[in-house]
Amino acid sequence: MNFFRGVMGGQAAGPQPSGAETIQKLCDRVASSTLLEDRRDAVRALKALSKKYHMEVGTQAMDHLINILQTDRSDSEILGYALDTLYNIICNDEEEEQDESEDAVTPLPVSGKYKNVSMPDENAQKQADDLGAQFTDKFIQDPEHVTLLLTLLEEFDFHVRWPGVKLLTALLKNQGAQVQGIILVSPMGVSRLMDLLADSREVIRNDGLLLLQQLTKGNAAIQKIVAFENAFERLLDIITEEGSSDGGIVVEDCLLLLLNLLKNNSSNQNFFKEGSYIQRMKPWFEVGDDNSGWSAQKVTNLHLMLQLVRVMVSPVNSPGATASCQKSMYQCGLLQQLCTILMATGVPADILTETINTVSEVIRGSQVNQDYFASVNAPSNPPRPAIVVLLMSMVNERQPFVLRCAVLYCFQCFLYKNQKGQGEIVATLLPSTIDANSISAGQLLCGGLFSADSLSNWCAAVALAHALQDNLTQKEQLLRVQLATSLGKPPVSLLQQCTNILSQGSKVQTRVGLLMLLCTWISNCPIAVTHFLHNQENVPFLTAQISENLGEDERLVQGLCALLLGICIYYNDNSLENYTKEKLKQLIEKRIGKENFVEKLGFITKHELYSRAAQKPQPVFPSPEQMLFDHEFTKLVKELEGVITKAVHKSSEEEKKEEEVKKTLEQHDNIVTQYKELIREQDAQIQELKEQVASLSSQNDQLQATITQQLSQIQQHKDQYNILKLKLGKENQSQSNSQGDSSQVNGLQTEELTQLREEVEELRKQHTLLQTQLSDKDALINTLRSEGTQTADESAGGPGNAELLKELEALRSQVQSQSAEITQLKTERQELLRRAEAAPSETVPSSDSSLDASKIAQLESRLAAQTSETERLREEMKSLSESRADLQQQLASATSTVAILQTEKAKLQTEVQESKKEQDDLLMLLADQDQKIHSLKQKLKGLGETVEDEDDLDARDQTDDDDEEEEDEDED
């Protein structure tokens, strides 16, 4: 144990071994000792030396320490020592090294005192970083080592879990991508790390947050897994528990982890929104009235919270996701809370700046949010709109530069795709709406546009340009603005005043801002181009600026002047004779030269600040002098540079050809429009016809249902009638044995029989009338059928007409069948009457006669119902005949297609001939059958069998009918 006493600081006699020798002996002891205590003491000694001897311990002991992690899993103390030693080897934390190392600082006497002077820290830190990266590579060379470390994190023992978390964090800092890949493929790797957030020991939970920060950097797959492991819920709970914006460093760590999970990850952003976590952000921004004494940690926390809101509504996100988040922020009151901070007093400048930027992106492109922002008033007396208060800060040169940039961005976002807001801003400049007693946005913009501060000039020009962006109406309205430059002089237009300031040779920033405003103003507005060219001094000034050879600073101004002159050519309507397109191009060719003009035009996109401004909408500049380009203006330049170059190089003949092509295209468009209208009309007609077909189909369905119902009723009547007929037969047999007063009964039967005969006669007349009507309808159907076979297939309503003809044919057959059934009922009724009259001398009891009378009354009522049904069917036949007349008209309109169907008709004729041949064959077969039957009958007669011929059967039926007629005459 004397060896360990020497290592751990005890004094030993004799010469002291060097550090490398000591580490070698300790490594041998770790590898060879069989007792756990000896190995534990050796690992503890290595831990003590690891901070001072990084390289030696890492080179000699790493493999032994990893072996300890694999073999001594049962002893948490030796595991903790091994993990701490590995952390000290891999960690590159300079502060810890300086705390432990005496060589990092050297005391030097200065005026009787000691002053700590650092050694060359940069080189030392670089060497430490390289050394830590090398040891990290050695550790993760075998992915099983990382998997082993993840397994150790499941141990609840503090001395194992905490150093394991720190070691894995250090590995991720040194070689993040490789370690992320190993953890990603490890089973339940990310889930094990997420369990650290639920640890009750704050030290482990807080270091777990740092670990997850490193784990989620730049890896979308891990970010998604962490998010779906309920990370949002846990992190928001921790933020609430720690006091939200008033919390400490833990809140900051949670917010940094949330930013990692949400930034540039649309899937997690959508999950955050769908999980209603946006609503939980509102309490973060509830700032009280007393805003004095903001701590540095609170400022940091609130700054990160605002960045988190901006991540959800960033312009780089998809438009649909951004709009959805903007809607949620308005509905839950988050936007209102941000506007409250915006108008509050005592808020630190950097928080106010970030709040303005956040509000800007929450309202950008959202009409509802923009309207709400326009209604926000500052708590002043009298109240002023928030837009006016912000513009006052923008044009005030004493305000911080970043704050002025933020206000400009807010104004741009307020006007982005907001024609209503653009109209309200421009309206404050018009003479009819100017209020002398209040300060308006238009007055502030004009004041900034013509102030002595070049940055105010640029900001006001860009802000006014956004009020005209993609809005032809406001460009024309702004031409009405008149400015009073000085007393005693007539007012001048805003357009003229801008050109006057340009010609006076002000600062480059001012001229760039005015040129951007003029280019935006007159682009795609021929009326504004005419107003600009109407001033005789503008074109000579532009040509002079472009043709001069100036320094580097003036090249951008030359390029913008070339762009402005090119817009005057491209959007020129040739209303001014002196400045038509052709004359302006001739002027360029003579004074400047086409190649020189195009070269000067290209100076804009070649400028180093142009590409920076084109990257994102927010104006971010390191200094006011570099504030030259606006994001929306870069889009305009990109759109117009090519077309202006082509317009300058085109000759008059090419332009005439293009005009002719445009006219041809316009005529073509007109023709296409006419055809589209015709197609729409035809579609409407087709739709009407479809509706008519649908109504007819529904009527047919109703008729079919009615006929089915009537058939069932007729069947019921037939069944009931058969039952009554059987009952009457039985009663007639029993009447011979009955006694009573027959005279009264016979008188009653005679009257009823007379009435029945009259009703039967009426039914016969109605039946005859229906037969004649049916014959007429048959003739009409045959006529239509003959015409329909020729034209039905090609006519517009052909299939529908064929179906209607089939349905009419079915109705006719059903009516005929019903008429046949009525006739059968009449004959059966007559037979009953005949039977009733056949026994006049027989007596019938009074009760039986009354029963017969009731049964006859029922039969009469059923006959009356059948008659009414027949009348209704006749009315339906009438309506169908009318529809058939309409169909006949439609068929008549389709006669033009007869020629096309001639071939089909020929095919049909051949088929008819074939069917006739088949019928002739059938007739021959029938004749043969008759001969066979006749021969068989003769053979039967020859054998002595009695065989009745059809003639004999007909004669017998005729005899029976004659006998029945004679009996009827006798009864009469």
Side-chain angles (χ1 to χ4, degrees):
M1 298 300 291
N2 293 332
F3 172 74
F4 292 109
R5 291 191 187 98
V7 171
M8 300 305 296
Q11 297 294 329
Q16 297 294 326
S18 65
E21 294 175 352
T22 304
I23 293 169
Q24 181 63 43
K25 292 180 180 180
L26 291 172
C27 291
D28 294 340
R29 183 61 58 89
V30 170
S32 60
S33 296
T34 57
L35 294 176
L36 179 62
E37 294 180 358
D38 292 342
R39 292 197 302 274
R40 186 190 305 132
D41 293 338
V43 174
R44 184 191 300 120
L46 287 173
K47 174 188 172 184
L49 295 172
S50 61
K51 291 184 179 180
K52 184 175 182 181
Y53 300 100
H54 274 307
M55 182 179 294
E56 291 81 359
V57 175
T59 304
Q60 300 181 38
M62 179 174 285
D63 294 335
H64 300 294
L65 294 172
I66 294 173
N67 188 46
I68 290 291
L69 297 179
Q70 294 172 342
T71 56
D72 293 332
R73 295 283 300 276
S74 60
D75 186 63
S76 59
E77 189 174 358
I78 193 172
L79 289 178
Y81 293 150
L83 291 171
D84 281 330
T85 306
L86 288 171
Y87 172 72
N88 292 336
I89 295 170
I90 293 173
C91 179
N92 296 324
D93 194 345
E94 184 181 359
E95 294 182 359
E96 290 190 6
E97 293 177 6
Q98 290 180 355
D99 291 340
E100 300 294 335
S101 177
E102 297 178 355
D103 298 334
V105 291
T106 304
L108 296 176
V110 178
S111 302
K113 298 181 181 179
Y114 287 94
K115 178 181 179 182
N116 289 337
V117 178
S118 298
M119 297 294 287
D121 294 334
E122 294 182 0
N123 295 332
Q125 183 63 31
K126 185 176 180 181
Q127 291 177 1
D129 290 342
D130 294 341
L131 195 60
Q134 291 175 8
F135 287 134
T136 302
D137 290 336
K138 183 178 179 181
F139 184 86
I140 66 175
Q141 193 172 8
D142 187 358
E144 291 297 326
H145 296 165
V146 179
T147 306
L148 174 64
L149 186 57
L150 292 173
T151 306
L152 292 175
L153 290 179
E154 294 181 350
E155 296 287 339
F156 187 73
D157 191 283
F158 179 82
H159 297 288
V160 177
R161 181 173 258 195
W162 187 41
V165 171
K166 294 194 296 181
L167 175 58
L168 188 56
T169 305
L171 293 173
L172 286 166
K173 285 182 179 179
N174 293 335
Q175 298 293 344
Q178 292 88 333
V179 180
Q180 285 174 344
I182 297 172
I183 295 175
L184 189 60
V185 299
S186 176
M188 300 296 292
V190 179
S191 299
R192 293 173 183 174
L193 300 180
M194 286 298 299
D195 293 339
L196 298 174
L197 296 181
D199 200 305
S200 59
R201 295 161 293 192
E202 292 188 0
V203 176
I204 295 179
R205 185 199 66 183
N206 298 343
D207 282 349
L209 289 172
L210 299 176
L211 170 60
L212 290 173
Q213 285 180 28
Q214 297 296 327
L215 180 66
T216 55
K217 280 184 178 180
N219 193 308
I222 294 180
Q223 291 169 1
K224 292 178 182 178
I225 296 173
V226 171
F228 283 97
E229 287 285 345
N230 206 22
F232 294 140
E233 185 75 27
R234 296 183 185 183
L235 292 173
L236 292 175
D237 289 342
I238 294 173
I239 291 173
T240 303
E241 292 171 3
E242 295 291 329
S244 297
S245 60
D246 294 324
I249 189 73
V250 178
V251 174
E252 179 182 350
D253 292 336
C254 290
L255 293 170
L256 289 172
L257 179 54
L258 284 172
L259 284 172
N260 280 355
L261 295 176
L262 293 174
K263 196 170 185 179
N264 299 325
N265 194 318
S266 58
S267 176
N268 284 359
Q269 290 173 6
N270 185 60
F271 181 65
F272 191 85
K273 177 183 68 67
E274 295 296 335
S276 300
Y277 297 119
I278 291 178
Q279 289 80 344
R280 296 186 60 178
M281 297 167 67
K282 180 190 173 186
W284 297 352
F285 305 102
E286 292 178 354
V287 180
D289 296 333
D290 186 13
N291 293 323
S292 59
W294 286 56
S295 65
Q297 187 61 55
K298 182 176 182 179
V299 171
T300 302
N301 292 344
L302 201 57
H303 196 275
L304 291 173
M305 290 173 179
L306 292 169
Q307 286 186 2
L308 196 61
V309 176
R310 292 185 65 184
V311 164
M312 297 299 296
V313 292
S314 174
V316 301
N317 297 342
S318 64
T322 300
S324 179
C325 292
Q326 289 172 336
K327 182 179 179 181
S328 298
M329 290 177 182
Y330 173 76
Q331 291 176 347
C332 73
L334 179 58
L335 174 61
Q336 294 85 330
Q337 202 66 44
L338 292 174
C339 290
T340 303
I341 298 176
L342 199 64
M343 294 292 106
T345 56
V347 179
D350 52 349
I351 294 297
L352 181 61
T353 302
E354 190 65 20
T355 304
I356 295 173
N357 289 327
T358 305
V359 171
S360 305
E361 294 182 352
V362 173
I363 68 173
R364 188 177 189 268
S366 174
Q367 188 65 51
V368 176
N369 295 4
Q370 289 168 341
D371 292 342
Y372 169 77
F373 183 70
S375 65
V376 175
N377 289 321
S380 60
N381 192 14
R384 289 176 178 171
I387 298 174
V388 173
V389 176
L390 291 175
L391 288 178
M392 292 173 67
S393 300
M394 186 185 74
V395 298
N396 187 354
E397 57 183 310
R398 290 176 294 181
Q399 293 292 339
F401 172 65
V402 290
L403 178 64
R404 298 173 74 179
C405 291
V407 173
L408 175 62
Y409 184 46
C410 184
F411 191 75
Q412 293 173 351
C413 292
F414 170 68
L415 297 179
Y416 182 72
K417 293 183 179 179
N418 184 11
Q419 294 193 353
K420 178 183 176 183
Q422 289 175 327
E424 292 173 353
I425 296 298
V426 174
T428 59
L429 289 165
L430 300 178
S432 59
T433 57
I434 293 178
D435 186 3
N437 297 324
S438 63
I439 300 176
S440 65
Q443 294 174 0
L444 289 171
L445 291 177
C446 282
L449 194 63
F450 306 122
S451 70
D453 180 26
S454 61
L455 183 59
S456 298
N457 302 152
W458 190 92
C459 292
V462 171
L464 196 56
H466 277 262
L468 307 175
Q469 195 77 37
D470 299 328
N471 197 327
L472 181 61
T473 303
Q474 303 311 322
K475 290 178 181 180
E476 296 176 356
Q477 288 291 324
L478 199 63
L479 295 172
R480 298 170 48 201
V481 176
Q482 300 290 323
L483 301 176
T485 56
S486 60
L487 294 175
K489 292 185 178 181
V492 297
S493 66
L494 177 61
L495 184 67
Q496 182 61 44
Q497 184 64 18
C498 291
T499 56
N500 291 341
I501 295 175
L502 275 177
S503 61
Q504 292 174 4
S506 53
K507 293 182 179 180
V508 173
Q509 191 174 37
T510 300
R511 285 182 288 163
V512 168
L514 291 174
L515 285 169
M516 287 195 297
L517 172 60
L518 291 174
C519 289
T520 306
W521 191 347
I522 70 173
S523 65
N524 200 21
C525 184
I527 298 176
V529 172
T530 303
H531 278 71
F532 181 79
L533 294 176
H534 189 72
N535 186 352
Q536 301 294 328
E537 299 177 355
N538 289 339
V539 174
F541 169 74
L542 293 178
T543 54
Q545 287 287 320
I546 299 170
S547 59
E548 290 181 1
N549 292 322
L550 303 174
E552 292 290 334
D553 296 338
E554 296 293 332
R555 280 192 172 185
L556 178 58
V557 176
Q558 287 184 315
L560 293 172
C561 289
L563 179 65
L564 184 60
L565 186 57
I567 292 173
C568 293
I569 295 173
Y570 187 71
Y571 292 106
N572 195 337
D573 58 358
N574 296 325
S575 58
L576 295 176
E577 294 183 359
N578 294 332
Y579 295 110
T580 61
K581 287 184 179 181
E582 188 60 30
K583 290 184 177 180
L584 287 175
K585 288 193 290 185
Q586 292 176 0
L587 184 64
I588 289 175
E589 189 171 2
K590 292 179 180 179
R591 299 283 181 87
I592 305 170
K594 291 182 179 180
E595 298 300 330
N596 190 24
F597 178 84
V598 173
E599 182 183 358
K600 297 294 177 67
L601 182 63
F603 286 165
I604 302 175
T605 55
K606 293 177 182 178
H607 199 280
E608 58 180 355
L609 297 177
Y610 175 87
S611 58
R612 182 184 300 178
Q615 291 176 358
K616 56 183 180 179
Q618 183 181 0
V620 179
F621 302 97
S623 63
E625 294 77 14
Q626 296 184 0
M627 203 169 185
L628 293 177
F629 283 106
D630 172 58
H631 178 74
E632 293 296 328
F633 181 73
T634 59
K635 293 181 180 179
L636 181 67
V637 173
K638 186 176 180 181
E639 177 185 351
L640 293 178
E641 183 179 9
V643 295
I644 289 175
T645 303
K646 291 180 181 179
V648 170
H649 284 290
K650 284 178 185 175
S651 61
S652 58
E653 296 179 356
E654 292 177 348
E655 288 185 353
K656 290 180 180 179
K657 290 181 180 179
E658 284 190 357
E659 290 179 358
E660 292 177 357
V661 170
K662 287 181 180 178
K663 290 180 180 179
T664 305
L665 291 175
E666 289 177 357
Q667 294 176 358
H668 178 70
D669 292 339
N670 293 332
I671 294 172
V672 171
T673 304
Q674 293 177 0
Y675 277 114
K676 286 181 180 179
E677 293 176 355
L678 179 61
I679 291 170
R680 290 192 190 98
E681 294 176 358
Q682 291 179 349
D683 288 340
Q685 293 176 359
I686 291 171
Q687 189 64 29
E688 292 177 359
L689 291 174
K690 286 182 179 179
E691 292 175 356
Q692 292 177 4
V693 170
S695 63
L696 288 174
S697 299
S698 62
Q699 291 177 3
N700 289 332
D701 293 339
Q702 293 176 359
L703 289 174
Q704 291 291 342
T706 304
I707 290 170
T708 304
Q709 184 178 3
Q710 289 178 356
L711 289 173
S712 63
Q713 291 178 357
I714 290 171
Q715 186 63 35
Q716 292 176 1
H717 293 166
K718 289 171 68 176
D719 295 339
Q720 294 175 0
Y721 182 75
N722 292 330
I723 294 170
L724 289 173
K725 186 167 66 173
L726 292 173
K727 287 183 179 180
L728 285 174
K730 292 179 181 179
E731 290 171 358
N732 289 334
Q733 291 178 1
S734 63
Q735 282 178 359
S736 60
N737 298 325
S738 63
Q739 295 180 359
D741 190 3
S742 61
S743 61
Q744 182 179 0
V745 174
N746 292 334
L748 180 61
Q749 287 178 350
T750 304
E751 292 177 358
E752 291 175 352
L753 289 172
T754 305
Q755 186 176 0
L756 285 172
R757 288 192 184 96
E758 291 176 356
E759 291 177 356
V760 168
E761 188 65 27
E762 290 180 358
L763 288 172
R764 285 177 180 173
K765 292 179 181 180
Q766 293 176 359
H767 179 66
T768 305
L769 181 61
L770 285 174
Q771 288 292 339
T772 56
Q773 291 178 354
L774 284 173
S775 62
D776 295 337
K777 298 300 180 183
D778 290 339
L780 181 59
I781 287 171
N782 291 329
T783 305
L784 290 174
R785 186 180 298 162
S786 62
E787 296 174 354
T789 56
Q790 297 177 358
T791 60
D793 292 336
E794 289 298 322
S795 61
N801 297 336
E803 292 177 1
L804 288 174
L805 290 173
K806 291 178 181 179
E807 291 172 355
L808 290 173
E809 185 67 19
L811 287 173
R812 186 179 67 80
S813 62
Q814 290 173 359
V815 170
Q816 289 178 355
S817 63
Q818 288 180 357
S819 300
E821 290 174 354
I822 291 170
T823 305
Q824 184 179 359
L825 290 172
K826 289 177 182 178
T827 56
E828 291 176 352
R829 178 62 58 80
Q830 289 176 1
E831 184 178 357
L832 288 173
L833 292 174
R834 183 178 58 78
R835 291 180 181 178
E837 292 174 357
S841 61
E842 295 176 356
T843 59
V844 181
S846 60
S847 60
D848 295 336
S849 63
S850 62
L851 181 59
D852 295 338
S854 64
K855 291 178 180 178
I856 292 170
Q858 290 178 359
L859 289 173
E860 290 173 355
S861 64
R862 290 171 181 170
L863 283 173
Q866 289 294 329
T867 306
S868 63
E869 289 292 330
T870 305
E871 289 293 332
R872 190 171 64 80
L873 287 173
R874 186 170 58 189
E875 292 295 329
E876 290 176 355
M877 288 294 294
K878 184 178 179 181
S879 64
L880 287 173
S881 65
E882 293 176 355
S883 64
R884 185 171 294 170
D886 296 335
L887 291 174
Q888 187 175 3
Q889 292 179 358
Q890 293 179 3
L891 290 172
S893 64
T895 55
S896 61
T897 61
V898 172
I900 301 173
L901 299 175
Q902 288 298 327
T903 56
E904 296 183 2
K905 181 177 179 182
K907 292 180 181 180
L908 291 173
Q909 287 177 353
T910 56
E911 290 177 359
V912 169
Q913 290 177 359
E914 291 176 358
S915 62
K916 285 182 179 180
K917 290 179 181 180
E918 292 176 357
Q919 289 177 359
D920 293 337
D921 295 337
L922 290 173
L923 289 174
M924 294 295 292
L925 290 173
L926 288 174
D928 294 339
Q929 286 292 105
D930 289 338
Q931 290 178 0
K932 290 179 181 179
I933 291 169
H934 182 70
S935 63
L936 290 172
K937 284 182 179 180
Q938 292 298 329
K939 289 179 181 180
L940 289 172
K941 286 180 181 180
L943 294 172
E945 295 291 335
T946 58
V947 179
E948 292 182 357
D949 296 329
E950 292 181 357
D951 296 334
D952 297 335
L953 293 174
D954 294 337
R956 185 183 297 173
D957 294 336
Q958 184 66 30
T959 304
D960 293 337
D961 293 336
D962 294 337
D963 293 337
E964 289 176 2
E965 289 177 0
E966 288 176 2
E967 288 175 2
D968 293 335
E969 289 175 358
D970 293 337
E971 288 174 0
D972 294 334

